[in-house]
Amino acid sequence: MKQKYSKWVVGAASAALVASAIVPVASAASFSDIETSDHKDAILALADAKIVGGYTDGTFKPNAVVTRGNVAKFLGKWLISEGYEIPADYKTEARFTDLPTSAPDQELLQYAALVKDAGVFKGSNNQLMYTNNMNREQMAVVLVRAINTVYGVDLVADYKESDFKSAITDLDKTTATENREAIIALEYAGLTNVKAFNPKNSLTRGQFASFLHRTITNVGEAVLTVKEAKVVDATTLEVTLSDDTKHTVKLETPLVENKETKVEFEIDGKTYSAVVTYEVTEVKLEAVKAVNAKTIEVQFNKAVEDTTKAKVELLRGTFKQNVTLVWSEDKKSVQLVGATNFQAADYTVNIAGLTENVLTSTVKIEAQKVTSIEVLDEVAVVDKAVQTDGTFATGTTATVGYVVKDQYGTDITKTTALKTNDNSNATVAADSAKGVIKLSGAVVEGKKIGDIVPVVLFDAATGTSVSKTVKLSAESTVSSIEVAGVYNAKGEEVVLNDSSKASDAYIVLNLKDQYGKEITDAAKATGLVITNTNTTNLTIANTVSKVKIGDKDKLVVALSSILKAGDTDVLLISTTNGQTAKYTVKVAETSTTNAISVSQPEIAVAEESTLIPLTVTDKEGNVITNKKVLADANKGIKVGGTTVAESALEVKDGQVYYKTTFNTAGTQALVFQTSTFKVATITVDVKAKAVPTVVRGLKTPLVISTSKSPVTITAKDHLIIEDQYGREMKNSAEPVKVTLVGTSDVVSVTGNQVTALKNGTATLNVALTTQNGTIDSAVEVKVQVTDGTEYNGYEIAEIGKTKVATAKDITVNGLLNGGKVALADSEYTATVQGGKITSPTAVTGGKVTIADTDLNTDSATPANKIDTEFTLKVTINATGQVLEQKFVVSADTEKTQDFFFTASETTADYNLAKAITEASLVSGSTVANLKSTGDAPAVVNVATVDQYGNKVISALVAETVTIVPEKVTDVKISGNGTAAATATLNADVKEAKVTLKIKVGNATKELKVTIVAAS
């Protein structure tokens, strides 16, 4: 074969080589389901090279059909390993029409852009069709293209030049000439030796791995390439070529520590490249800097592998600052974000847990100050039309925007009060809340369009100022109409289908006035006529409204309802100047479930939620992961003849799971059915209900104080308890028995109570007990006693959002050897300040209460209480150490933010409540009468959590109930969408299946319900 040298070749069967300054780093992959696979060696080689990967459950699934998206990722990773780079514009420039830049699978988006730009994938009608299965002839084409791209080897030209004769017997079954030639090329290169290639057959993940591995070894090794590159030091490599010759290479530019770097070098006059990493194992601080007035960024020389080990502390003098940690995606930096701006001072950053010694550095924070003021336009737009004499009437105002920035470039317009060239602010005033200069009175009234008004803005604190003359202009009207597209509130472009929720999408407009400025005031768009040409597909609002799209205010036309698939033209006409725009809203038809396969769950335990893996495909073989489609009454799937509720489906890493709870142990059968009546059956071996079986030890080191009351040892609060299947049981209520090992003058033990006597340590025996008192499992644990003089440090437990006029417990902990002891309120002094509390006010009794009169208010008339930040300051009496923590107090009424349905009683422990997904309801009854299913039906309650973190189980009081029947002929629905909604069985109907969408507070949940006749 003729072969051409390519400088991008990194190494035979290699991904980006990562070399260590000491020894090369080796890696190996192992999968639980490839031991007997013919493709095992190829899979392991490619996995070791980071070209292929497996699933989160440790499998590779070698027999699963490979999709076009899978192959795009595999080949993209191969190209990366050979020195190619992801195109920089992959986020802004879509390569395929069915893979927009907003696609959730960003990894696929990257590799699709790479393989398209490299000429490996061309697509069909500019579509990648990434969910479609890849057949063998398609694989041959992209693989031959990739070989030409990576190795510069044109296999088709080579086999034609050598007059090669194919022995494959079914080439006539190929779709196109390119496909046939690609198959012959693979045969010529020794990558396939079959008699019948079966070009139309699908390809498994294992088969593709073998094809790609043979490509790298058979074709790649024929070109002299880099086999291995070891980093000796920052400027030296030890390079081994594929002919096993070794070479020492000196680099002109030193390698950056712990950063994957592509380097090029020459050996014997030929240029090679490798991707290496100069590994320095010890973490170091590279830089600490202020990013803005409330954020400090700490940069490391390498990624912090386990960020949970980093104990970050920010000190102003000896005062510990309350900050939120935000780690970068590459874990090479962390931002320390304050709740408000930091005070001007020198700060110390201490980071423990990453190295033997604490990493420390200092940073100086300057007081936030105004450094620039900019008036944003040359014209000030008036709010009223001119009079007949061409002048502006009394009461006319004009506005022009401005922006204020601090020394970090942060926009501080809303928090900065500026003075103007009108000391009284009667004619020229700066409105910081809106970011506009308001001109009124004598500088506007009686003036004409084009008259000049001088404007001066200045900051009294810094002397920063700006002067500008602005021209009075006519009232702003819609002059230009454009439609940006259909977006959701997050700012993501939306592709609509007939299962989309209309309220989640908006037609976003770009309206500009005669001055070229974007209009964001909906009142300015009242003269816009909106026409919907096809109300059978969807309905829309006939007025323009203002909505927050992403982080910007935008004018939109809201979607009212989506009725069916199809195209609808929306016409927009400005009545002020006749400008028009047309936008076609496309609603795609969702897939219909056609085939289904079911896999065994990892484990199924009675009375626990079990996740059963499903693979559902449409008629084209595309995998369906859209829960709305799967739960659709007409297009979705059924279990036991009942449509699956959307709440009973989970999607993780592209895998769909059916979530159910088996009430009893033993063999349980489930029958799944698609909309085309194809069936899959699974028999699940449900294990016995989990019971506490083994006590492993303490959750955290046990430290108690001589100044505190005795500590009662419980499974829930102190112990790691495992069930008979080796799983940790959270919030176990299993009784335990505590005894003292030997004798001790440090503690005494009575029942499960441990009383501290004096400083020191003691050993306790903690055992699980059964109802008859026999011991199931026991473990010995250490308890440390302190009198408070030995603490390593102190902390204030997180206070969280607090409701006004509510006594909030505060907890100050002493820290010792990984354990915590809550201090008595006599061991510290606490004050609170903030809002309208202008000086420190004492906090006593371990509780802080903020009165309604202490909250800040807005500028409305009458004023409204707003969420207000306060600072709790704690001084440790024994050491003088000062701690601070900021918290927010709100006057808002408690409102449920999340909840789940449960059969637990309202008096039960929230942490022990179990969720239910199915219930029954007597015909004609409201949801207050819901009962759980099973042998002992119980009233359905809700386990709720509000914005203040309060968790309770309460009776179900719905704000709205929407009933969706599986068969509309089975029930008569009254009051749908109200709290009193009911479903009544029609004559001769004994029971009916419905889905209830129940809103409680700010959350809405679904419950699958069987409507039954009254007994």
Side-chain angles (χ1 to χ4, degrees):
M1 288 181 288
K2 290 187 176 179
Q3 295 164 347
K4 304 171 186 176
Y5 168 72
S6 168
K7 71 175 182 178
W8 293 116
V9 176
V10 177
S14 69
L17 298 175
V18 180
S20 168
I22 303 172
V23 294
V25 175
S27 65
S30 179
F31 304 104
S32 61
D33 60 345
I34 65 170
E35 192 60 37
T36 60
S37 174
D38 294 338
H39 310 288
K40 173 183 176 181
D41 292 342
I43 292 168
L44 290 178
L46 295 181
D48 195 49
K50 297 183 176 66
I51 294 174
V52 301
Y55 293 85
T56 55
D57 61 359
T59 64
F60 183 78
K61 304 189 190 310
N63 298 322
V65 175
V66 72
T67 66
R68 291 173 60 84
N70 296 150
V71 174
K73 287 184 180 182
F74 292 160
L75 293 181
K77 292 177 182 180
W78 180 35
L79 290 177
I80 290 293
S81 77
E82 301 292 1
Y84 285 80
E85 296 179 352
I86 300 294
D89 63 348
Y90 81 91
K91 287 186 177 180
T92 58
E93 191 69 32
R95 270 43 174 200
F96 300 97
T97 57
D98 60 340
L99 191 65
T101 56
S102 59
D105 192 341
Q106 289 291 299
E107 183 186 51
L108 176 58
L109 193 67
Q110 294 179 40
Y111 292 125
L114 173 56
V115 296
K116 177 69 181 295
D117 290 2
V120 176
F121 266 79
K122 296 179 180 178
S124 175
N125 295 321
N126 208 28
Q127 290 186 322
L128 179 59
M129 297 185 292
Y130 55 91
T131 60
N132 286 8
N133 295 338
M134 171 73 85
N135 65 33
R136 290 170 63 85
E137 65 176 327
Q138 293 169 342
M139 176 277 302
V141 171
V142 296
L143 195 55
V144 167
R145 290 176 189 161
I147 290 169
N148 198 2
T149 296
V150 173
Y151 297 131
V153 177
D154 188 341
L155 289 177
V156 173
D158 281 1
Y159 91 70
K160 288 182 178 180
E161 183 177 336
S162 63
D163 199 25
F164 176 74
K165 303 299 181 184
S166 174
I168 294 176
T169 59
D170 56 356
L171 292 172
D172 59 327
K173 295 181 180 179
T174 56
T175 302
T177 300
E178 183 184 18
N179 301 11
R180 181 175 58 81
E181 291 179 343
I183 294 170
I184 297 173
L186 295 184
E187 180 188 16
Y188 169 72
L191 303 181
T192 183
N193 58 4
V194 296
K195 294 297 182 184
F197 190 78
N198 295 314
K200 300 297 184 187
N201 283 11
S202 59
L203 193 73
T204 68
R205 287 166 56 85
Q207 289 168 344
F208 183 77
S210 288
F211 269 111
L212 184 54
H213 184 244
R214 284 197 295 271
T215 297
I216 295 171
T217 54
N218 291 11
V219 181
E221 289 183 353
V223 181
L224 194 60
T225 62
V226 174
K227 182 178 181 181
E228 185 180 45
K230 291 183 182 179
V231 177
V232 178
D233 54 42
T235 58
T236 308
L237 300 180
E238 288 291 344
V239 178
T240 303
L241 297 180
S242 52
D243 61 357
D244 288 329
T245 58
K246 297 184 181 298
H247 307 266
T248 299
V249 173
K250 287 291 184 180
L251 303 175
E252 294 182 3
T253 303
L255 295 168
V256 179
E257 292 180 4
N258 301 304
K259 181 179 180 181
E260 193 174 75
T261 307
K262 184 177 72 178
V263 292
E264 290 188 3
F265 47 86
E266 286 191 1
I267 297 176
D268 297 333
K270 286 187 176 182
T271 301
Y272 297 84
S273 75
V275 179
V276 297
T277 300
Y278 177 36
E279 287 196 350
V280 176
T281 57
E282 187 175 28
V283 176
K284 302 176 185 176
L285 289 184
E286 278 196 344
V288 178
K289 62 182 181 181
V291 177
N292 54 50
K294 60 182 293 186
T295 306
I296 295 171
E297 184 173 82
V298 180
Q299 298 175 350
F300 301 93
N301 67 321
K302 60 173 293 185
V304 177
E305 293 182 3
D306 187 354
T307 57
T308 61
K309 291 182 178 179
K311 307 304 178 186
V312 183
E313 179 184 60
L314 180 66
L315 300 175
R316 173 171 53 82
T318 59
F319 294 164
K320 185 176 179 180
Q321 305 298 299
N322 185 33
V323 294
T324 300
L325 302 183
V326 181
W327 286 89
S328 63
E329 189 174 346
D330 63 5
K331 299 183 181 180
K332 290 185 178 180
S333 65
V334 62
Q335 290 188 340
L336 284 58
V337 183
T340 57
N341 291 346
F342 293 121
Q343 296 181 25
D346 290 328
Y347 289 80
T348 301
V349 178
N350 294 324
I351 303 177
L354 300 180
T355 57
E356 184 176 349
N357 298 317
V358 175
L359 302 175
T360 187
S361 185
T362 59
V363 61
K364 185 179 183 66
I365 301 289
E366 297 179 347
Q368 189 177 53
K369 59 185 179 182
V370 174
T371 57
S372 71
I373 307 170
E374 180 185 1
V375 179
L376 298 176
D377 212 330
E378 306 287 340
V379 297
V381 180
V382 300
D383 63 348
K384 296 179 181 178
V386 295
Q387 302 178 99
T388 55
D389 64 355
T391 64
F392 297 119
T394 301
T396 301
T397 61
T399 55
V400 60
Y402 74 95
V403 65
V404 183
K405 293 186 178 180
D406 67 7
Q407 66 268 44
Y408 304 104
T410 303
D411 185 343
I412 56 172
T413 306
K414 290 187 176 182
T415 58
T416 306
L418 297 180
K419 294 185 177 297
T420 74
N421 48 323
D422 178 2
N423 290 331
S424 67
N425 288 327
T427 59
V428 182
D431 185 342
S432 60
K434 297 180 179 178
V436 296
I437 305 163
K438 184 178 179 180
L439 308 177
S440 59
V443 300
V444 179
E445 297 168 0
K447 304 295 183 182
K448 296 182 178 180
I449 293 173
D451 284 353
I452 299 297
V453 178
V455 173
V456 178
L457 299 178
F458 65 95
D459 175 51
T462 62
T464 305
S465 66
V466 64
S467 300
K468 196 162 190 172
T469 55
V470 294
K471 186 182 297 184
L472 296 178
S473 68
E475 181 182 16
S476 174
T477 59
V478 175
S479 176
S480 170
I481 308 170
E482 292 181 357
V483 178
V486 180
Y487 290 81
N488 60 21
K490 295 180 181 179
E492 301 165 334
E493 192 165 11
V494 175
V495 179
L496 298 175
N497 58 52
D498 54 13
S499 292
S500 298
K501 189 176 180 181
S503 59
D504 289 342
Y506 305 91
I507 302 173
V508 178
L509 308 179
N510 285 333
L511 305 183
K512 293 185 179 179
D513 63 16
Q514 63 269 44
Y515 310 108
K517 296 180 183 177
E518 184 179 3
I519 297 174
T520 57
D521 182 359
K524 298 290 185 183
T526 53
L528 202 63
V529 177
I530 303 168
T531 303
N532 177 6
T533 64
N534 190 350
T535 55
T536 61
N537 288 350
L538 80 162
T539 59
I540 60 176
N542 58 9
T543 58
V544 172
S545 56
K546 182 166 71 173
V547 173
K548 186 78 74 175
I549 301 293
D551 58 353
K552 296 181 179 179
D553 287 329
K554 302 293 290 187
L555 294 185
V556 305
V557 176
L559 301 184
S560 301
S561 61
I562 296 174
L563 304 175
K564 67 176 185 176
D567 293 351
T568 300
D569 288 337
V570 176
L571 303 180
L572 305 164
I573 305 173
S574 171
T575 57
T576 58
N577 62 4
Q579 285 285 324
T580 64
K582 182 176 81 170
Y583 182 75
T584 302
V585 180
K586 296 181 179 294
V587 177
E589 184 176 10
T590 52
S591 302
T592 298
T593 60
N594 179 57
I596 185 169
S597 61
V598 188
S599 302
Q600 287 290 338
E602 288 187 9
I603 189 172
V605 179
E607 298 184 24
E608 291 185 15
S609 180
T610 300
L611 295 180
I612 299 175
L614 308 177
T615 301
V616 184
T617 57
D618 60 20
K619 293 180 180 179
E620 286 72 41
N622 301 313
V623 175
I624 301 174
T625 58
N626 186 321
K627 293 197 292 184
K628 290 185 180 298
V629 174
L630 294 170
D632 187 271
N634 298 314
K635 300 180 179 182
I637 60 174
K638 296 183 177 182
V639 180
T642 301
T643 302
V644 172
E646 189 175 336
S647 58
L649 296 169
E650 287 190 13
V651 180
K652 299 178 182 178
D653 299 324
Q655 175 64 58
V656 177
Y657 297 90
Y658 171 65
K659 180 170 61 177
T660 188
T661 299
F662 298 105
N663 292 322
T664 58
T667 301
Q668 305 279 358
L670 294 176
V671 179
F672 294 82
Q673 177 185 303
T674 68
S675 62
T676 56
F677 305 104
K678 292 181 180 175
V679 172
T681 302
I682 186 172
T683 300
V684 180
D685 180 18
V686 181
K687 299 182 181 299
K689 176 182 176 181
V691 294
T693 304
V694 178
V695 54
R696 291 297 183 192
L698 294 168
K699 292 180 179 179
T700 58
L702 181 58
V703 181
I704 61 177
S705 170
T706 55
S707 63
K708 298 285 288 184
S709 302
V711 173
T712 301
I713 306 297
T714 65
K716 175 183 174 182
D717 296 328
H718 300 97
L719 302 174
I720 299 172
I721 306 295
E722 292 182 356
D723 63 17
Q724 66 267 46
Y725 310 115
R727 305 173 304 166
E728 184 177 350
M729 301 187 73
K730 304 291 186 182
N731 302 310
S732 172
E734 181 72 3
V736 296
K737 180 180 181 181
V738 181
T739 56
L740 186 65
V741 176
T743 59
S744 174
D745 59 355
V746 174
V747 298
S748 64
V749 178
T750 305
N752 284 10
Q753 284 193 343
V754 182
T755 303
L757 302 177
K758 70 174 187 178
N759 285 9
T761 60
T763 302
L764 305 177
N765 182 282
V766 182
L768 290 182
T769 60
T770 60
Q771 294 300 315
N772 60 14
T774 61
I775 295 176
D776 289 332
S777 173
V779 66
E780 290 188 357
V781 299
K782 295 289 185 182
V783 56
Q784 182 164 4
V785 175
T786 180
D787 59 6
T789 62
E790 305 170 292
Y791 293 131
N792 306 130
Y794 301 88
E795 69 172 14
I796 304 173
E798 187 71 27
I799 298 173
K801 193 171 187 178
T802 302
K803 189 179 181 189
V804 71
T806 301
K808 183 77 170 185
D809 290 328
I810 60 173
T811 302
V812 181
N813 293 319
L815 308 179
L816 181 61
N817 299 333
K820 299 178 182 181
V821 175
L823 303 186
D825 57 354
S826 61
E827 295 181 87
Y828 61 85
T829 302
T831 61
V832 67
Q833 187 173 355
K836 295 186 178 180
I837 303 177
T838 56
S839 59
T841 300
V843 174
T844 59
K847 296 179 183 293
V848 59
T849 304
I850 303 298
D852 180 75
T853 53
D854 294 331
L855 296 187
N856 291 333
T857 57
D858 61 17
S859 57
T861 304
N864 301 302
K865 304 293 183 182
I866 60 175
D867 288 2
T868 305
E869 185 177 76
F870 292 83
T871 300
L872 178 72
K873 183 176 179 180
V874 170
T875 303
I876 306 301
N877 293 338
T879 65
Q881 183 176 342
V882 178
L883 310 173
E884 289 183 356
Q885 185 173 131
K886 297 180 185 299
F887 62 100
V888 173
V889 179
S890 175
D892 294 342
T893 302
E894 295 92 338
K895 191 83 169 177
T896 296
Q897 304 299 309
D898 195 13
F899 73 92
F900 59 87
F901 301 103
T902 181
S904 298
E905 296 180 356
T906 56
T907 55
D909 186 340
Y910 176 96
N911 294 311
L912 300 179
K914 294 184 178 180
I916 61 173
T917 58
E918 297 179 351
S920 65
L921 183 64
V922 172
S923 175
S925 301
T926 64
V927 295
N929 299 288
L930 280 167
K931 294 292 183 66
S932 63
T933 58
D935 296 332
V939 173
V940 174
N941 295 313
V942 285
T944 65
V945 57
D946 65 22
Q947 70 269 43
Y948 303 112
N950 300 316
K951 297 179 178 180
V952 297
I953 300 176
S954 58
L956 171 55
V957 179
E959 294 184 18
T960 62
V961 178
T962 301
I963 304 174
V964 182
E966 188 166 308
K967 294 181 180 179
V968 295
T969 56
D970 283 351
V971 292
K972 178 182 178 181
I973 300 174
S974 300
N976 214 357
T978 71
T982 60
T984 303
L985 294 174
N986 286 327
D988 299 325
V989 178
K990 295 182 178 180
E991 68 174 34
K993 304 290 187 180
V994 300
T995 298
L996 300 187
K997 298 180 179 180
I998 300 176
K999 183 181 180 185
V1000 177
N1002 289 336
T1004 300
K1005 301 288 184 180
E1006 289 187 2
L1007 185 66
K1008 209 71 179 176
V1009 172
T1010 302
I1011 305 296
V1012 297
S1015 57

